[in-house]
């Protein structure tokens, strides 16, 4: 049951209809696709799917059969259907048909109504999508057509901000070079814009008359789900033109900043990549679900055993007694022997004892989970005011597993951090700026900041930019040349685009947030980057506009880890400005800067210690001749056919040398609100947090420190950076030995060899003394995840308090999660915000998506979504914990009540000749589970609380029972069953003892079957009601209403069923006429009921009391502490941001994407309003796989440098 | 789903107690005082109840005479079905050493007769017994119709197996004078049975009403001749039939046969002296190893002689008290060990 959610294109995540495969062309699987433009007749031969999509599953006619068919694929439903069929056999039937059919129909109806509503909404969205209008070129005229009537081979015209109707081959656009811009958020969740370009020959087909004559034929691959791949060929005018993904506009994208474009429909409707991708998500089950299924199987086993025992009993009884009793009750015609009678009795008993696993179990579990999901959706404390997004439980089936999480796998960017970069500090020519001093001149802690620096002198300043150190502004104002050069560099050396809507209202569109932060900083300090053309950059330097000639952009990439620009200033001097990672840049500085370098290094270390991302800035003056000569070589290199990249790199390398150091910047990667607190709290709750990030090791480690995953108190932080299997193995082994050593010295008498082979290893390692952390690199991880090493890796990693995996690919993220899932039998939770987290989110037991930032892909794949990482603590410690607790209590009680209810038949079997006579009235059996006892237990399952929510946060240890599976496991199950059986024994034998001899107070017989049935039923209802009263820890008005209401309803129905009126109408159906009033008027009956209740309940109370006294668990303690109002001081650790002084080095802080220097220089994009460039990239393939591969090869080939130096803890 | 529009207006969840899980509620605590209080009160209550019940049970008097063996020759005769028309009587003398005070009830008791078999219980037609349609026999398998498809009245296995011994209690005033103890054949049934569940088609002429039907195979007489003397006790309204039709829960059961009519010698109950049961032995039980008894019993406020309930209450009460003391002791011990948080 997914909670419906507003979404522009709802069908994007809808399940594909099963009918797809049937819609494939009749001549078998498509091997290649041919589509000729403007030739519908030709294209029709191939019977390609139309552009009509259908995500709905049913129509009015097929609904009932299809839906029923689907529902009966559920094992439970089939089982109940089987029982129903058994009941229809008269020789077996021991219950009337309605005892099974009423609950079954109820369940089927509820599910069917839910399915029907879901499908109705799908129909609606299908219709809405299919009826969208698009302009199709038919017979040379543009005509309005509905989307569903668009065919393969049509040419359609798209206008700005329109959804792309089908997968199109871009033919031409309003922009030069046939460029057009699309947003692919619907498709892959990335909000940045991407460029698509028509192939040159078609880009000239601008007007309709030309397009109408276009008769090119495309031959391409068959439909597939690869969003980033397309290969095909256009045959036109006897020429072949290769087509790639660059030429395609996929359905689901939105056209942006392009007036119009024309496209040729290649794939339509269900064949589009979007629809091919909206695959059925894997259905996740919780561990309780799995346990429940096992237990249900055991119960079936138990049921069969009881059936067999009773059947044997029946055979013996029929043989010994029944045969002779035939005068009074001859055997059925079909029965010819005692043995056969036993056989029939087996089935009869299967029917009457089936209530040990009632169908209402499954329904109730669903209802409870739905309730919990709503609580999550409704939670105000998980509502993000800023983004106005509530938390959302997108799956309703996993709630209780939130209370059992042991491992959290978190993405970094956008999840732990806000992905907002703030210019925090800088070092300019040996002087550090940016420290915050309070009035007394002490370094101030965060949170007690004085007034920020006033930038009012600068009309172009960004109001949102805050800086606290006034000395930097003073340095700028007095015209310190180094400071000026520093900011000049920042305002020139970047690839940011600017947009000025009104005079002075500047908007920067940066490729990476780091760059934006730096340019904004320069802007506020009076070096305002105003605009750029392909060849110039205009900067307002302290109020005067200066236009620099842009000679070259030496773009960023992962190997270079730096970027430079070469500019000519108005005076004609050529200068190279460079910013880059310290490790890279320091080697390329002019030797004269040694002294300055040392000071700067000190500053860098300090910044890095605070978790800031640093960049080193430098410049170099170039003389005209050198530049000319270099520019020539660069041109040569860029024209080279082979290994162009390498050649360019070496040319760049050449010029970026002997540079003069200017200083360094430190950017704060702002953590999301409350991240350190959340992590600390979750760690206290014994949850292990692994950070899996695509970021660099330094960045990741820094964030690890700033969010308190890593602390200086840690015994050691192991860094695994090996490039070969052997190195990695060795590093892991060393780490483990160190941990073992320390634990041995602490007195753990295990030796390494002893434990290596045994499975104990994990537990031993988990018990190591001291806190360790593990940092592992992507390429090492690749080795560590190999089959023969994964266990070693896992054991080492699990022994550590914190694990950080950096430079990991999305695939590796999923692999790591899978590894832990596979060997640790622990519940895993993955949290992330971007498309690269999708695989991890889908793999983990629970996937959480951070909504709001990088698009919706992660949210769509997730089970829960909210907008801030800090809500995770509430989701787990409050909602999860309660859900688990409630579900466990619910299950315990549910199994108990049904065993108590059903086992009475078993005991009665010994007295009724094993004839499958039920103890209760049939109506009671029908209604017991769905009316008399369902609501109180549901109310408990939905509302129960053991401790108030704030206590769960104060005592994170309260979370542990869930992780250890303490509240509902096989042992607890057996206890419940035992209690149920105990109750059933008393429930039968106490009334039996009383009734055997007693008479009513008017002398008539008391021990008639009907009175007995009513007595047992009444005491059963009372006992289970008292029991639920004891189990309910949190009595709300609703619980009161349901518990008292259930009792009232029981008596009301009892009297109604035994009333004269019903008997008059159906004398054969309502046989118990007058029974209730006659039986319940007897004092003996009430005495029996009271006695039964007392004997059933007292041991439970005594047991609970003793457990509370002798073995109280934390939740009891907390409850009682609260009860006596001994206000204990919260164990809350005081979390403060304390700056560290460490020797660690922060690294280069660019994003990992290729810059778009090339595009800027080519000027292709310059006609755009700069809004279009909201961080669009040349990484236009949009595929993370692609970029990963690149990253991986980068990191594999790049020299490890200082990045791989082991860190000192 | 109705929430959708609202959802769009403001996505901020309501601040209601229900939605924020802050409903005012009472938290259930198993505090020592409460638990011990409950245990002590329950213990004392049960103990008192048990003693009262046992005392009152002891005040009742009961005589049970098993006549299966005493009338062995009759039993033997009845084992052969062909002897159904041969009458067999049997007299069982007994001596009442103490007089039975107040209302005395006479029961017949069957041992090992399964009135609670699944197919047996179902084999009746309430529709027929309520007089609506005397030919409604659909539920009565295997005694629906006779061989020539005439519907049986009353149909079904229960009715067919009706207990049909006649028991007459005689009081020997002295060695020669024997008088019949007057027994009432009314008030043996529930009011609802007599006035709702069982109705004759009409009161005029039962034989006419039952025309076209036949008697159950085991019955000597048709339904309208169950009590020839008292027309109000005839047909479906015959109290013996109604008593029999209220099936017993267990294979050993006693059913009310008659109430002492407190007149003449018997105003205060049954005086001490010698009595005898004169039994017309019709109902065969030995074939399925069953036994038959006849029971005379008096009652108390809570019904018949049932020691079980009193005993069970006493034991429960005692156990509860013991447990309460034990728990108190454990608690004190732990309290001394500084487990202070249980203390209130």
């Amino acid at each position: 049951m997914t909670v419906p959610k507003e979404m522009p294109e709802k069908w994007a995540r809808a399940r594909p209809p099963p009918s797809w495969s049937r819609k494939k062309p009749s001549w078998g699987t498509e091997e290649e696709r041919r589509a000729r433009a403007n030739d519908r007749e030709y294209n029709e031969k191939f019977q390609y799917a139309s552009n009509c999509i259908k995500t709905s599953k049913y129509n009015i006619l097929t609904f009932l059969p299809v839906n029923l068919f689907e529902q009966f694929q559920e094992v439970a439903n089939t089982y109940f259907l089987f029982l129903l069929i058994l009941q229809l056999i008269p020789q077996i039937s021991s219950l009337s048909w309605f005892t099974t059919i009423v609950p079954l129909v109820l369940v089927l109806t509820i599910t069917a109504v839910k399915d029907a509503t879901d499908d109705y909404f799908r129909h609606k969205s299908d219709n809405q999508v299919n009826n969208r209008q698009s302009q199709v070129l038919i017979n040379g005229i543009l005509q309005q057509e509905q989307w569903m009537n668009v065919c393969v081979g049509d040419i359609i015209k798209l206008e700005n901000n329109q959804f792309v109707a089908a997968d199109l081959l871009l033919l031409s656009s309003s922009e030069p070079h046939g460029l057009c811009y699309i947003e692919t958020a619907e498709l892959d969740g990335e909000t940045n814009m991407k460029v698509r370009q028509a192939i040159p020959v078609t880009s000239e087909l601008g007007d309709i008359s030309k397009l109408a004559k276009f008769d090119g034929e495309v031959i391409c691959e068959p439909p597939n789900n690869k969003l980033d791949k397309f290969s095909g060929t256009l045959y036109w005018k006897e020429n072949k033109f290769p087509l790639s993904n660059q030429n395609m506009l996929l359905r689901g994208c939105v056209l942006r900043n392009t007036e119009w474009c024309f496209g040729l429909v290649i794939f339509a409707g269900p064949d589009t990549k979007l629809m091919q991708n909206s695959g059925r998500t894997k259905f996740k089950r919780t561990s309780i679900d799995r346990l429940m299924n096992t237990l249900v199987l055991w119960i079936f086993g138990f049921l069969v055993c009881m059936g067999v025992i009773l059947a044997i009993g029946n055979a013996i009884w029929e043989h010994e007694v029944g045969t002779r009793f035939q005068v009074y009750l001859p055997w059925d015609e079909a029965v010819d022997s005692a043995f056969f009678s036993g056989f029939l009795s087996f089935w009869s008993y299967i029917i009457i004892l089936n209530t040990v696993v009632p169908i209402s179990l499954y329904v109730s579990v669903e209802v409870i989970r739905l309730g919990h999901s709503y609580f999550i959706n409704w939670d105000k404390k998980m509502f993000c005011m800023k983004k106005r997004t509530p938390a959302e439980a997108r799956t309703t089936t996993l709630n209780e597993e939130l209370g059992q999480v042991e491992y959290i796998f978190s993405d970094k960017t956008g999840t732990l951090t806000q992905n907002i970069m703030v210019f925090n500090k800088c070092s300019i020519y040996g002087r550090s700026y940016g420290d915050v001093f309070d009035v007394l001149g002490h370094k101030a802690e965060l949170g007690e900041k004085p007034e920020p620096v006033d930038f009012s002198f600068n009309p172009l300043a960004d109001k949102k930019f805050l800086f606290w150190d006034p000395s930097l502004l003073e340095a700028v104002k007095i015209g310190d040349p180094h400071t000026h050069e520093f900011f000049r560099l920042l305002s020139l050396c970047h690839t940011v685009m600017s947009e000025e809507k009104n005079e002075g209202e500047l908007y920067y569109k940066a490729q990476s947030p780091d760059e934006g932060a730096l340019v904004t900083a320069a802007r506020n300090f009076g070096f305002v980057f105003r605009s750029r053309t392909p060849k110039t950059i205009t900067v307002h330097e302290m109020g005067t506009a200066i236009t620099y000639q842009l000679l070259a952009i030496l773009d960023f990439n992962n190997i270079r880890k730096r970027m430079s620009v070469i500019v000519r200033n108005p005076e004609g001097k050529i200068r190279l400005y460079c910013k880059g990672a310290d490790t890279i840049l320091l080697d390329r500085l002019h030797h004269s800067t040694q002294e300055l370098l040392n000071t700067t290094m000190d500053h860098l270390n300090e910044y890095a210690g605070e978790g800031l991302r640093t960049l080193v800035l430098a410049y170099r003056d170039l003389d005209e001749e050198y530049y000319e000569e270099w520019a020539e070589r660069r041109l040569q290199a860029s024209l080279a056919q082979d290994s162009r990249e390498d050649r360019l790199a070496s040319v760049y390398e050449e010029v970026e040398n002997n540079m003069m150091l200017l200083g360094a910047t430190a950017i704060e990667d702002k953590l999301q609100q409350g991240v350190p607190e959340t992590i600390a709290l979750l760690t206290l709750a014994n949850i292990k947090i692994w950070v899996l990030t695509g970021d660099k090791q330094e960045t990741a480690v820094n964030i690890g420190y700033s969010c308190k995953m890593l602390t200086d108190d840690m015994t050691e932080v192991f860094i695994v950076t090996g490039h070969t299997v052997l190195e990695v193995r060795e590093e892991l082994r060393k780490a483990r030995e160190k941990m073992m050593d320390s634990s041995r010295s602490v007195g753990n008498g295990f030796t390494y060899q002893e434990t290596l082979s045994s499975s104990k290893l994990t537990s031993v390692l988990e018990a190591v003394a001291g806190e360790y952390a593990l940092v592992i690199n992507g390429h090492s991880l690749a080795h560590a995840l190999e089959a023969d090493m994964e266990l070693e890796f896992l054991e080492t990693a699990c022994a550590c308090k914190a694990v950080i995996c950096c430079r990991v690919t999305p695939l590796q993220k999923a692999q790591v999660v899978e590894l832990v899932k596979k060997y640790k039998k622990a519940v895993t939770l993955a949290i992330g915000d971007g498309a690269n987290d999708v695989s991890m989110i889908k793999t983990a037991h629970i996937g959480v998506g951070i909504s709001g930032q990088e698009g919706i892909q992660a949210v769509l794949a997730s089970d829960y979504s909210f907008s801030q990482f800090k809500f995770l603590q509430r989701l787990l410690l409050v909602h999860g914990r309660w859900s688990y607790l409630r579900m466990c209590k619910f299950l315990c009680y549910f199994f108990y009540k049904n065993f108590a209810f059903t086992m009475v038949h078993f005991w009665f079997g010994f007295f009724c000749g094993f004839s499958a006579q039920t103890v209760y009235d049939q109506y009671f059996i029908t209604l017991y589970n769905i009316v008399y006892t369902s609501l109180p237990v549901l109310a408990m399952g939905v509302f129960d609380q053991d401790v108030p929510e704030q206590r769960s946060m104060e005592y994170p240890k309260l979370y542990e029972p869930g992780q250890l599976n303490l509240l509902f496991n096989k042992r607890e199950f057996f206890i419940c069953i035992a209690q149920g059986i105990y109750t059933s024994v008393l429930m039968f034998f106490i009334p039996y003892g009383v009734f055997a001899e007693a008479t009513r107070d008017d002398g008539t017989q008391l021990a008639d079957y009907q009175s007995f049935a009513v007595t047992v039923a009444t005491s059963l209802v009372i006992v289970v009601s008292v029991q639920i009263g004891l189990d309910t820890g949190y009595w709300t008005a609703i619980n009161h209403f349901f518990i008292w209401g259930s009792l009232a309803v029981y008596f009301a129905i009892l009297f109604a069923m035994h009333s004269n009126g019903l008997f008059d109408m159906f004398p054969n159906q309502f046989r118990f006429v007058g029974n209730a009033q006659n039986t319940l008027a007897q004092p003996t009956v009430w005495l029996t009921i009271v006695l039964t209740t007392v004997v059933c309940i007292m041991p439970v109370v005594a047991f609970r009391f003793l457990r509370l006294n002798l073995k109280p668990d934390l939740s009891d303690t907390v409850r009682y502490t609260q009860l006596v109002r001994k206000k204990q001081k919260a164990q809350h650790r005081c979390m403060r941001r304390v700056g560290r002084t460490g020797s660690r080095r922060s690294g280069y802080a660019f994003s990992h994407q290729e810059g778009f220097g090339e595009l800027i220089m080519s000027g292709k994009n310059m006609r755009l309003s700069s809004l279009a460039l909201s961080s669009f990239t040349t990484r236009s393939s949009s595929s993370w796989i692609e970029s990963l591969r690149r990253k991986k090869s980068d990191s594999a080939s790049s020299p490890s440098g200082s990045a791989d130096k082991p860190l000192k803890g | 789903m109705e929430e959708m529009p609202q959802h769009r207006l403001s996505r901020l969840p309501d601040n209601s107690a229900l939605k924020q899980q802050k409903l005012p509620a009472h938290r259930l605590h198993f505090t020592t005082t409460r638990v011990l209080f409950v245990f002590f009160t329950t213990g004392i209550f049960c103990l008192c109840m048990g003693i009262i019940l046992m005392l009152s049970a002891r005040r009742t008097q009961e005589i049970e005479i098993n006549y299966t063996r005493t009338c062995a020759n009759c039993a033997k005769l009845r084992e052969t079905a062909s002897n159904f028309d041969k009458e067999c009587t049997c007299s069982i003398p007994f001596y009442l050493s103490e007089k039975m005070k107040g209302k005395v009830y006479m029961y017949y008791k069957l041992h090992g007769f399964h009135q609670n078999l699944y197919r047996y219980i179902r084999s009746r037609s309430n529709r027929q017994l309520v007089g609506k349609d005397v030919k409604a026999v659909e539920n009565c398998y295997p005694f629906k119709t006779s061989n020539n498809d005439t519907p049986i009245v009353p149909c079904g296995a229960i009715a067919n197996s009706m207990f049909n011994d006649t028991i007459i209690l005689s009081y020997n005033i002295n060695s020669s004078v024997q008088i019949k103890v007057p027994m009432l054949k009314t008030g043996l049934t529930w009011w609802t049975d007599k006035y709702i569940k069982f109705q004759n088609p009409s009161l005029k002429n039962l034989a006419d009403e039952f025309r076209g039907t036949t008697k159950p195979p085991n019955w000597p007489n048709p339904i309208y001749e169950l009590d020839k003397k008292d027309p109000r006790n005839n047909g479906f309204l015959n109290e013996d039939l109604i008593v029999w039709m209220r099936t017993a829960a267990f294979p050993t059961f006693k059913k009310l046969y008659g109430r002492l009519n407190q007149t003449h010698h018997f105003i205060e109950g049954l005086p001490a002296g010698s009595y005898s049961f004169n039994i017309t032995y019709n109902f065969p039980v030995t074939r399925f190893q069953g036994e038959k008894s006849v029971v005379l019993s008096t009652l108390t406020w809570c019904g018949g002689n049932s020691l079980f309930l009193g005993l069970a209450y006493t034991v429960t009460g005692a156990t509860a008290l013991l447990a309460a003391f034990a728990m108190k002791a454990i608690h004190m011990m732990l309290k001394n060990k500084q487990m202070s948080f249980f203390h209130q």
Side-chain angles (χ1 to χ4, degrees), chain A residues 690-700:
Chain A
W690 295 26
V691 171
L692 309 178
T693 173
D695 259 353
K696 299 174 62 259
Q697 181 182 321
E698 295 90 334
T699 327

PDB file of all heavy atoms in Angstrom, chain A residues 690-700:
ATOM      1  N   TRP A 690      28.249   3.580   8.282  1.00  0.00           N
ATOM      2  CA  TRP A 690      29.270   3.542   7.254  1.00  0.00           C
ATOM      3  C   TRP A 690      28.957   4.661   6.275  1.00  0.00           C
ATOM      4  O   TRP A 690      27.813   4.798   5.848  1.00  0.00           O
ATOM      5  CB  TRP A 690      29.262   2.213   6.502  1.00  0.00           C
ATOM      6  CG  TRP A 690      29.630   1.015   7.318  1.00  0.00           C
ATOM      7  CD1 TRP A 690      29.489   0.859   8.665  1.00  0.00           C
ATOM      8  CD2 TRP A 690      30.193  -0.203   6.823  1.00  0.00           C
ATOM      9  NE1 TRP A 690      29.918  -0.382   9.041  1.00  0.00           N
ATOM     10  CE2 TRP A 690      30.359  -1.065   7.928  1.00  0.00           C
ATOM     11  CE3 TRP A 690      30.569  -0.656   5.563  1.00  0.00           C
ATOM     12  CZ2 TRP A 690      30.888  -2.335   7.799  1.00  0.00           C
ATOM     13  CZ3 TRP A 690      31.091  -1.925   5.436  1.00  0.00           C
ATOM     14  CH2 TRP A 690      31.255  -2.756   6.546  1.00  0.00           C
ATOM     15  N   VAL A 691      29.983   5.412   5.947  1.00  0.00           N
ATOM     16  CA  VAL A 691      29.765   6.438   4.936  1.00  0.00           C
ATOM     17  C   VAL A 691      30.327   5.925   3.625  1.00  0.00           C
ATOM     18  O   VAL A 691      31.481   5.514   3.558  1.00  0.00           O
ATOM     19  CB  VAL A 691      30.419   7.764   5.350  1.00  0.00           C
ATOM     20  CG1 VAL A 691      30.385   8.737   4.202  1.00  0.00           C
ATOM     21  CG2 VAL A 691      29.698   8.341   6.547  1.00  0.00           C
ATOM     22  N   LEU A 692      29.503   5.890   2.635  1.00  0.00           N
ATOM     23  CA  LEU A 692      29.939   5.457   1.314  1.00  0.00           C
ATOM     24  C   LEU A 692      29.821   6.668   0.413  1.00  0.00           C
ATOM     25  O   LEU A 692      28.730   7.167   0.186  1.00  0.00           O
ATOM     26  CB  LEU A 692      29.046   4.343   0.774  1.00  0.00           C
ATOM     27  CG  LEU A 692      28.802   3.155   1.687  1.00  0.00           C
ATOM     28  CD1 LEU A 692      27.859   2.187   1.025  1.00  0.00           C
ATOM     29  CD2 LEU A 692      30.102   2.459   2.012  1.00  0.00           C
ATOM     30  N   THR A 693      30.928   7.147  -0.068  1.00  0.00           N
ATOM     31  CA  THR A 693      30.834   8.374  -0.834  1.00  0.00           C
ATOM     32  C   THR A 693      31.697   8.306  -2.075  1.00  0.00           C
ATOM     33  O   THR A 693      32.694   7.594  -2.114  1.00  0.00           O
ATOM     34  CB  THR A 693      31.248   9.584   0.033  1.00  0.00           C
ATOM     35  OG1 THR A 693      31.301  10.720  -0.799  1.00  0.00           O
ATOM     36  CG2 THR A 693      32.575   9.371   0.682  1.00  0.00           C
ATOM     37  N   GLY A 694      31.278   9.018  -3.037  1.00  0.00           N
ATOM     38  CA  GLY A 694      32.065   9.122  -4.258  1.00  0.00           C
ATOM     39  C   GLY A 694      33.187  10.134  -4.095  1.00  0.00           C
ATOM     40  O   GLY A 694      34.044  10.265  -4.953  1.00  0.00           O
ATOM     41  N   ASP A 695      33.155  10.829  -2.973  1.00  0.00           N
ATOM     42  CA  ASP A 695      34.133  11.882  -2.758  1.00  0.00           C
ATOM     43  C   ASP A 695      35.522  11.334  -2.515  1.00  0.00           C
ATOM     44  O   ASP A 695      35.711  10.159  -2.270  1.00  0.00           O
ATOM     45  CB  ASP A 695      33.716  12.695  -1.534  1.00  0.00           C
ATOM     46  CG  ASP A 695      33.062  13.972  -1.947  1.00  0.00           C
ATOM     47  OD1 ASP A 695      33.072  14.255  -3.157  1.00  0.00           O
ATOM     48  OD2 ASP A 695      32.546  14.659  -1.069  1.00  0.00           O
ATOM     49  N   LYS A 696      36.438  12.278  -2.497  1.00  0.00           N
ATOM     50  CA  LYS A 696      37.824  11.892  -2.254  1.00  0.00           C
ATOM     51  C   LYS A 696      38.003  11.539  -0.791  1.00  0.00           C
ATOM     52  O   LYS A 696      37.241  11.912   0.065  1.00  0.00           O
ATOM     53  CB  LYS A 696      38.735  13.056  -2.603  1.00  0.00           C
ATOM     54  CG  LYS A 696      38.622  13.448  -4.021  1.00  0.00           C
ATOM     55  CD  LYS A 696      39.414  14.666  -4.309  1.00  0.00           C
ATOM     56  CE  LYS A 696      40.878  14.431  -4.046  1.00  0.00           C
ATOM     57  NZ  LYS A 696      41.274  14.993  -2.795  1.00  0.00           N
ATOM     58  N   GLN A 697      39.083  10.838  -0.583  1.00  0.00           N
ATOM     59  CA  GLN A 697      39.367  10.363   0.753  1.00  0.00           C
ATOM     60  C   GLN A 697      39.491  11.509   1.760  1.00  0.00           C
ATOM     61  O   GLN A 697      38.917  11.464   2.838  1.00  0.00           O
ATOM     62  CB  GLN A 697      40.667   9.567   0.700  1.00  0.00           C
ATOM     63  CG  GLN A 697      41.063   8.989   2.024  1.00  0.00           C
ATOM     64  CD  GLN A 697      42.365   8.263   1.888  1.00  0.00           C
ATOM     65  OE1 GLN A 697      42.598   7.590   0.891  1.00  0.00           O
ATOM     66  NE2 GLN A 697      43.224   8.410   2.845  1.00  0.00           N
ATOM     67  N   GLU A 698      40.231  12.543   1.363  1.00  0.00           N
ATOM     68  CA  GLU A 698      40.457  13.642   2.320  1.00  0.00           C
ATOM     69  C   GLU A 698      39.137  14.293   2.696  1.00  0.00           C
ATOM     70  O   GLU A 698      38.855  14.531   3.877  1.00  0.00           O
ATOM     71  CB  GLU A 698      41.380  14.714   1.723  1.00  0.00           C
ATOM     72  CG  GLU A 698      42.779  14.242   1.442  1.00  0.00           C
ATOM     73  CD  GLU A 698      42.908  13.687   0.036  1.00  0.00           C
ATOM     74  OE1 GLU A 698      41.889  13.227  -0.510  1.00  0.00           O
ATOM     75  OE2 GLU A 698      44.015  13.713  -0.512  1.00  0.00           O
ATOM     76  N   THR A 699      38.353  14.574   1.693  1.00  0.00           N
ATOM     77  CA  THR A 699      37.068  15.208   1.943  1.00  0.00           C
ATOM     78  C   THR A 699      36.227  14.324   2.853  1.00  0.00           C
ATOM     79  O   THR A 699      35.639  14.788   3.823  1.00  0.00           O
ATOM     80  CB  THR A 699      36.318  15.403   0.617  1.00  0.00           C
ATOM     81  OG1 THR A 699      37.271  15.651  -0.391  1.00  0.00           O
ATOM     82  CG2 THR A 699      35.351  16.528   0.709  1.00  0.00           C
ATOM     83  N   ALA A 700      36.203  13.070   2.510  1.00  0.00           N
ATOM     84  CA  ALA A 700      35.367  12.152   3.271  1.00  0.00           C
ATOM     85  C   ALA A 700      35.843  12.069   4.711  1.00  0.00           C
ATOM     86  O   ALA A 700      35.041  12.094   5.645  1.00  0.00           O
ATOM     87  CB  ALA A 700      35.386  10.784   2.616  1.00  0.00           C
TER      88      ALA A 700
END
